[in-house]
Amino acid sequence: MASVLIVDFGSQTTQLIARRVREAGVFCEMISCAKAEKKLQDMRPNAIILSGGPASLSAEESPRPAESIWEQGVPVLGICYGMQSMVEKCGGRVLPHDKREFGHREIDISNENPLFKGMNAKQNVWMSHGDQVSEISDQFEVLAQSETCPVVAVKHREKPWYGVQFHPEVVHTQEGKALLANFLFNVADLPSDWRMDSFCDQQIAAIREQVGSQKVLLGLSGGVDSSVAAALIHKAIGDQLVCVYVDHGLQRAGETEGVKKLFGDAFKMDLRVVHAQDRFLAALSGVTDPEKKRKIIGHTFIEVFDEESFKIRDVDFLAQGTLYPDVIESESFSGAPTAVIKSHHNVGGLPEEMKLKLIEPLRELFKDEVRVLGRELNLPSNVVDRQPFPGPGLAVRILGEITQERLEKVRAADAIVREEIDAGLSSGAIEDELWQWFAALLPVKSVGVVGDARIYADTIAVRAVMSTDGMTADWPWLPKEVLGRISNRIINEVKGVARVVYDISSKPPATIEWE
Ligand code: XMP
């Protein structure tokens, strides 16, 4: 299988380059520029892409591409900082420009070449840079320029090395996808051979080989990642897989029953359901601080999971639904810790003495690739296409104290929001690309009138967001009829709610979840 290595200089959009390359059907991996040397030896990629980055080549200690990149004899595409470092390496000059160029620019392609094959001579691209190439050596020729930037794209005269100052990976670059495809297929002449059915077969063979006749334990949450991991491993080793599902009582309506029905009954997996609702509620009693709630849930989860795992004899492997973005994030470009906005939690932390080896069959995949794999494994669309749901569950959608009564209130309201928005989506009344839609229970009471009586009761917030990755999000103008039905039904059907509000905050600055 052909492969591309993306060397990351810390750009915000490096992951997007990887997405685009995979979408074109070519396998790729990303590596921080500091670790590229070793990775090149192990991987032997068929082409290399150098990402953009926040540094300036004129700054002290700014990173440079590893020397061995230039010795691989494979095509290289430098993007933004990547292009600047390529030009500098060959004797050109890069200088800070008096104006930072950020946003749309029209460029002129002045030179016929494989990178711009089939494209318009004038096109709109997305720029984001402070420095720019001021001089190239005679090893390079200029392929494109703009009014403010004389060197927008370059090609080495002898080697298959190209550079672009703009960002082809972002959607704002009109023909960005086509440019990356040209690099992969016209310049590097790679086959488009990254397919989910062959990935699935490869992984099944690899899991069988790794596991042999031993047993694998998997924490099944019912979310997309653990569900797909379970289906894949089960297909590989059948009953040697034991799944543990912790019912912490913070799930949405119908969740536990759904997991039992699908994995226990339909897939006939060895599924152990641990009923721990009371234990979680007791641990959360009286706690209102969001971070404390998350920590308590994380710890209790690990305790319960560990106790159950300990009861299962002879387990050798722990399976996790770790995805590629988790792997990349834990190897950040700078190595600098990022600010903790919310402590996320996933399964982990088994006792040391269990000495389990890890299996992470999804660690090379992005989320949408996991969904494709799930379909390949015959998982139904209500599992594969489900909206993301936080590990701490409804607890982060109850502001203030978590009690059984408040849990039931938010669960009932959430079911209504989901039913009505799902109906709107399937009837075409809602056209937006929604990412999540749910209810949150606020710690605010207000006055209402029911019949002739005055009530003083709770408030439900309806949250719906459009997003492509959960990192940024915007709220949609839901049709008035849909919002009206949601409000009407919640106030009529959920006892103790007097008011429904619609959350119109984007992320940033607001987060998607309320806590
Ligand atoms: P925020 O609220 O930070 O959420 O804007 C971004 C995305 O992450 C989900 N989320 C979590 N997922 N464990 C998870 O696995 C967690 O603790 C967690 N907290 C938030 C959230 O639903 C959204 O999709």
Coordinates of all heavy atoms in Angstrom, one line a residue, residues 341-342 463 465 470-475 503-515:
I341 N -9.4 22.5 29.5 CA -10.6 23.1 29.5 C -11.6 22.3 30.3 O -12.4 22.7 31.1 CB -11.2 23.4 28.1 CG1 -10.1 24.0 27.2 CG2 -12.4 24.2 28.0 CD1 -9.8 25.4 27.4
K342 N -11.6 21.0 29.9 CA -12.5 20.0 30.6 C -11.7 18.7 30.7 O -11.1 18.3 29.7 CB -13.8 19.7 29.8 CG -14.7 20.9 29.7 CD -15.9 20.6 28.8 CE -16.7 21.9 28.6 NZ -17.9 21.6 27.8
R463 N -30.0 22.6 23.2 CA -28.7 22.9 22.5 C -28.7 22.1 21.2 O -28.9 20.9 21.2 CB -27.6 22.5 23.5 CG -26.2 22.7 22.9 CD -25.8 24.2 23.0 NE -24.4 24.4 23.0 CZ -23.9 25.5 22.3 NH1 -24.7 26.3 21.6 NH2 -22.6 25.7 22.3
V465 N -26.0 22.1 17.7 CA -24.9 22.7 17.1 C -24.5 22.1 15.8 O -24.7 20.9 15.6 CB -23.6 22.7 18.0 CG1 -23.8 23.6 19.2 CG2 -23.2 21.3 18.4
G470 N -16.2 19.2 16.3 CA -16.4 19.5 17.7 C -15.5 20.5 18.3 O -15.6 21.0 19.4
M471 N -14.5 21.0 17.5 CA -13.5 21.9 18.0 C -14.1 23.4 17.9 O -13.9 24.2 18.8 CB -12.2 21.9 17.2 CG -11.6 20.6 17.0 SD -10.9 20.0 18.5 CE -9.3 21.0 18.5
T472 N -14.9 23.6 16.9 CA -15.6 24.9 16.8 C -17.0 24.5 16.5 O -17.3 23.4 15.9 CB -15.1 25.8 15.7 OG1 -15.2 25.1 14.4 CG2 -13.6 26.2 15.9
A473 N -18.0 25.4 16.8 CA -19.4 25.0 16.5 C -20.2 26.3 16.4 O -19.9 27.3 16.9 CB -19.9 24.1 17.6
D474 N -21.3 26.2 15.6 CA -22.2 27.3 15.5 C -23.6 26.7 15.7 O -23.9 25.5 15.6 CB -22.1 27.8 14.1 CG -22.6 29.3 14.0 OD1 -23.1 29.8 15.1 OD2 -22.6 29.9 12.9
W475 N -24.6 27.6 16.1 CA -25.9 27.1 16.3 C -26.8 27.3 15.1 O -26.6 28.3 14.4 CB -26.5 27.8 17.6 CG -26.4 29.3 17.5 CD1 -25.4 30.1 17.8 CD2 -27.5 30.2 16.9 NE1 -25.7 31.4 17.5 CE2 -26.9 31.5 17.0 CE3 -28.7 30.0 16.4 CZ2 -27.7 32.6 16.6 CZ3 -29.5 31.1 16.0 CH2 -28.9 32.4 16.1
D503 N -30.4 27.7 23.2 CA -29.0 28.2 23.4 C -28.5 28.7 22.1 O -28.3 27.9 21.1 CB -28.2 27.0 24.0 CG -26.7 27.4 24.2 OD1 -26.3 28.5 23.8 OD2 -26.0 26.5 24.8
I504 N -28.2 30.0 22.0 CA -27.6 30.6 20.8 C -26.2 31.0 21.0 O -25.8 32.1 20.6 CB -28.5 31.7 20.2 CG1 -28.8 32.7 21.3 CG2 -29.8 31.2 19.7 CD1 -29.3 34.0 20.8
S505 N -25.4 30.1 21.6 CA -23.9 30.5 21.7 C -23.1 29.6 20.8 O -23.3 28.4 20.7 CB -23.5 30.2 23.2 OG -24.6 30.2 24.0
S506 N -22.1 30.3 20.2 CA -21.2 29.5 19.3 C -20.0 29.1 20.2 O -19.7 29.6 21.2 CB -20.7 30.4 18.2 OG -21.8 30.9 17.5
K507 N -19.2 28.1 19.6 CA -18.0 27.7 20.3 C -16.8 28.1 19.3 O -16.9 27.6 18.2 CB -18.0 26.2 20.5 CG -16.6 25.6 21.0 CD -16.6 24.2 21.1 CE -15.2 23.7 21.6 NZ -15.1 22.3 21.9
P508 N -15.8 28.8 19.8 CA -15.7 29.5 21.0 C -16.6 30.7 21.0 O -17.0 31.1 19.9 CB -14.2 29.8 21.1 CG -13.8 30.0 19.6 CD -14.6 29.0 18.9
P509 N -16.9 31.3 22.1 CA -16.3 31.1 23.4 C -17.0 30.0 24.2 O -16.4 29.4 25.1 CB -16.4 32.4 24.1 CG -17.6 33.1 23.5 CD -17.7 32.6 22.1
A510 N -18.3 29.7 23.9 CA -19.0 28.7 24.7 C -18.5 27.3 24.3 O -18.1 27.1 23.1 CB -20.5 28.8 24.5
T511 N -18.6 26.4 25.2 CA -18.3 25.0 24.7 C -19.7 24.4 24.3 O -20.7 24.9 24.5 CB -17.7 24.2 25.9 OG1 -18.5 24.3 27.0 CG2 -16.3 24.7 26.2
I512 N -19.6 23.2 23.7 CA -20.8 22.5 23.2 C -21.6 22.1 24.4 O -22.8 22.4 24.6 CB -20.5 21.4 22.3 CG1 -19.8 21.9 21.0 CG2 -21.7 20.5 22.0 CD1 -19.3 20.8 20.0
E513 N -21.0 21.3 25.3 CA -21.7 20.9 26.5 C -21.7 22.1 27.5 O -20.9 23.0 27.4 CB -20.9 19.7 27.2 CG -20.7 18.5 26.3 CD -22.0 17.8 26.0 OE1 -23.0 18.0 26.7 OE2 -21.9 17.0 25.0
W514 N -22.7 22.0 28.4 CA -22.8 23.1 29.4 C -21.8 23.1 30.5 O -21.6 24.0 31.2 CB -24.3 23.2 29.9 CG -25.2 24.0 29.0 CD1 -25.4 23.7 27.7 CD2 -25.9 25.2 29.3 NE1 -26.3 24.6 27.2 CE2 -26.6 25.6 28.1 CE3 -26.0 25.9 30.4 CZ2 -27.4 26.7 28.1 CZ3 -26.8 27.1 30.4 CH2 -27.5 27.5 29.2
E515 N -21.2 21.9 30.7 CA -20.2 21.8 31.8 C -19.0 21.1 31.3 O -19.1 20.2 30.5 CB -20.8 21.0 33.0 CG -21.8 21.8 33.8 CD -22.0 21.2 35.2 OE1 -21.8 19.9 35.3 OE2 -22.5 21.9 36.1

